[in-house]
Amino acid sequence: MDEASSPGDPGSPDWPPWFAFAGFGGALIATLVAVAVVFGVAGIDVDDDSAVLTVVATLIQSAFFVGVAYLLARSVARPRSWHFGFRRAPLWPTVGWAALGMLAFYALGAIYIALVDPDVEQDVTDSLGAGDSTLGLIAAGVMVIAIAPVVEEVFFRGFFYRALRTRWSIPLAAVVGGLVFGVIHYDFEGPDGLLLLPPLAALGAILCLVYERTGTLYAVIGMHAFNNTVAFAAQADDGWRVAVVAGPLMLAAVAIVPRLLPSGPAPLPPGQARADSGAQLSLPL
């Protein structure tokens, strides 16, 4: 397949939009099969809700999300880290857009709570064993604050959204990307979990817009880590003990790492015309 320019990624491979959905569905199916096989061989009941098994299943899912994205990308061209958004960008403008994105999300969240008053909370920290022991608290904190932001941003912004943007407009790609991001976090234990879908979808869409604006995945990894740090500190008993260490370390990492590692082509300036399929390219912010 020929290579073509893609939003924020000059000269990067042309991933078709169907890659996004194929990757999402393929990763979920592969995860279900792998978990069933691993747990079956180990003689473990897949319905067991112990924290250790939840962590193992989550790590398996994370591996498949990244792995499937890599394999699909490889079918077009040899994947480079900057194809997925791991590239250097001007520090303070990037920080400014990330801060604006978080402010917008928290403002929308406050309005949503005032209007809907959703009486439901995510139980992610409990399911990961945050309340079981000190070791469980640390393990859950690492999963929520460090691993989840990196894996989910690589897939949902670096791969899923970028594949959509090769053909779709910014608003459509951001909305669809946000909805799928919200769905993967939906608690299927009951219908009340649907009340969490709108704010999660809004966060996903905002992350897409900030990624579009900055051209670097480090910005949205930092936003994701910051949000998860606040949530972990609020939801887990004594979660703040882990959050005050893991959160700042993640923010420092996304600021320092891109300046220590080799980087791909710099992202295109916001609003600059790109060799795309003719979609509207100016960011509506």
Side-chain angles (χ1 to χ4, degrees), residues 4 68 77 98 133 145 154 201 242 255 272:
V68 169
S133 63
I145 298 172
V154 167
V242 175
Q272 178 174 317

Side-chain angles (χ1 to χ4, degrees), residues 2-141:
D2 293 334
E3 293 190 357
S5 294
S6 187
D9 300 300
S12 63
D14 183 21
W15 300 339
W18 67 265
F19 267 26
F21 304 103
F24 182 72
L28 288 183
I29 293 172
T31 298
L32 293 174
V33 172
V35 168
V37 170
V38 171
F39 285 13
V41 170
I44 301 172
D45 184 356
V46 294
D47 293 326
D48 191 332
D49 60 355
S50 72
V52 173
L53 298 184
T54 300
V55 170
V56 171
T58 301
L59 290 174
I60 291 175
Q61 176 178 275
S62 298
F64 276 114
F65 267 118
V66 174
V68 169
Y70 177 85
L71 290 176
L72 284 172
R74 190 176 179 82
S75 70
V76 174
R78 179 185 175 187
R80 306 284 187 178
S81 60
W82 57 271
H83 292 169
F84 295 90
F86 286 107
R87 50 147 52 94
R88 197 175 300 125
L91 179 60
W92 293 115
T94 300
V95 170
W97 282 110
L100 180 61
M102 292 310 307
L103 181 62
F105 170 64
Y106 288 133
L108 290 174
I111 294 172
Y112 181 76
I113 291 174
L115 294 176
V116 180
D117 190 23
D119 187 19
V120 59
E121 292 184 0
Q122 288 182 298
D123 61 352
V124 175
T125 57
D126 290 337
S127 65
L128 292 174
D132 295 347
S133 63
T134 299
L135 180 60
L137 180 68
I138 295 173

